[in-house]
Amino acid sequence: MAAKKVVVLPGDDAVPEAMAAAMEVLGAMKLDIEYVQFPPGERWKRGDTEVRARAAIDASDSTLFGATSGKTNAILHLRWGRQTYANVRPARYMKGALSPLRSPEGIDFVIVRENLEDLYLGLEGPLSELRPLKAQSRFLRAPLDTSAEGRYAIKVITERNTRRVAAFACELALKRKRAGGPGKVTCTSKYNMLRESDGFFRAIVEETVAGFPELRYEQFIVDDFARRVVQSPHELDVVVAPNLYGDILSDAAAGTVGGLGVAPSGCYGDDYAYFESVHGTAPDIQGLGIINPTATILSAAMMLDYLGFAEASTRLERAVRTIYAEGKTLTPDQGGHAKTEEFARAVVANL
Ligand code: IPM
Ligand code: MN
């Protein structure tokens, strides 16, 4: 029996092509890992594949997940079912990647996105479902008119989830500090406007960081923070944000270091973690064999580290960096002409 078991869900549209490249690389590394492969979302038979995937996930140490456009339903189980509350999204510049910034060298920060709540609870509906609110709106200076045609969405920030994601961000900042990082946690939310929900998130993060005397703390309102991602990304270290802001800002962060083709991520819970690229399913390039597999391969590198294969993880990341530094085998999104498959072969050659 292999030391570790990993479920592979190749995802939808063009993403299975990136996953095939990542699997070629992982296969070449010959680690003591058993891979349990599922077909792309398009080929999932209604119901039964999903049930089998859920059981396989529960019997595994981790999952490598290709992005979904809704066909690979397992994401619900991977996030809410396995309570993977901390979505870690590094933005680290690799020399040779196609950044729109003048001086992207040295950009190296991580967004830790709360992954389970905020506006991601699916609590939406017609206004008429709400009872007329007793409280006056702070902004309308009148009760909400629930008889009007319209929809609501509920945003929830709980103490438990905020505390655990904040603590996760602090541990990560400490780990990075030991490796030479600045040891700083930045909190961002719209705490000036959403004083109750985002204000609560901000206060709990600040309190949590205060329990780590080795770390510095700073906070920015989310619109100001968005500007900073573009204008002064070098000043950031570990950022912690509620779910929706983290979703939006991690795409922006990816933009600073070369786009979604190079942005990996991992979703961590207390007893499970799964790994997925930040990008979507790129249906416009499906079948062309040109999707950039870097995001998936770097997500796999994060997974290897999580599974205890630290040396292999570093080796894989270095192999990818070498390809960017050399600039000979880059995919079209990075200004090159290489196919997905050629990129994978170059990574294997560099391992
Ligand atoms: C992401 C994606 C998902 C999200 C979608 C596909 C539900 O955009 O992982 O960033 O919003 O979390
Ligand atoms: Mn997203």
Side-chain angles (χ1 to χ4, degrees), residues 29-171:
M29 295 189 83
K30 303 212 181 315
L31 301 165
D32 194 9
I33 298 176
E34 179 196 341
Y35 297 99
V36 183
Q37 291 245 23
F38 278 77
E42 282 83 355
R43 287 193 269 121
W44 284 32
K45 299 242 167 41
R46 193 175 299 143
D48 64 334
T49 315
E50 193 183 332
V51 171
R52 276 196 301 116
R54 248 183 278 151
I57 289 164
D58 289 346
S60 73
D61 297 290
S62 187
T63 293
L64 188 57
F65 184 71
T68 178
S69 51
K71 296 163 202 137
T72 305
N73 283 322
I75 192 169
L76 299 181
H77 188 58
L78 286 167
R79 287 192 186 175
W80 290 274
R82 303 301 318 191
Q83 289 285 295
T84 48
Y85 56 83
N87 184 357
V88 174
R89 299 192 148 177
R92 186 170 173 206
Y93 182 71
M94 297 185 286
K95 190 172 175 299
L98 198 61
S99 164
L101 300 186
R102 201 184 311 123
S103 322
E105 292 79 16
I107 295 177
D108 180 8
F109 66 100
V110 183
I111 293 182
V112 179
R113 163 193 180 191
E114 191 287 316
N115 211 27
L116 302 176
E117 54 186 29
D118 183 11
L119 276 161
Y120 275 67
L121 289 178
L123 289 172
E124 295 183 286
L127 281 182
S128 58
E129 273 180 16
L130 299 175
R131 254 181 274 147
L133 297 182
K134 267 187 259 148
Q136 299 257 317
S137 152
R138 258 210 328 274
F139 309 124
L140 294 175
R141 300 185 181 285
L144 181 69
D145 176 10
T146 57
S147 70
E149 177 59 29
R151 303 285 186 272
Y152 67 84
I154 290 182
K155 172 175 171 113
V156 175
I157 305 285
T158 63
E159 176 175 355
R160 172 167 181 261
N161 240 24
T162 309
R163 274 198 199 290
R164 60 185 183 173
V165 79
F168 190 100
C170 290
E171 295 292 350

Side-chain angles (χ1 to χ4, degrees), residues 210-227:
F212 290 77
E214 311 92 318
L215 299 178
R216 278 186 293 136
Y217 173 77
E218 66 183 10
Q219 60 186 38
F220 300 112
I221 299 167
V222 68
D223 42 355
D224 176 35
F225 179 81
R227 176 190 60 77

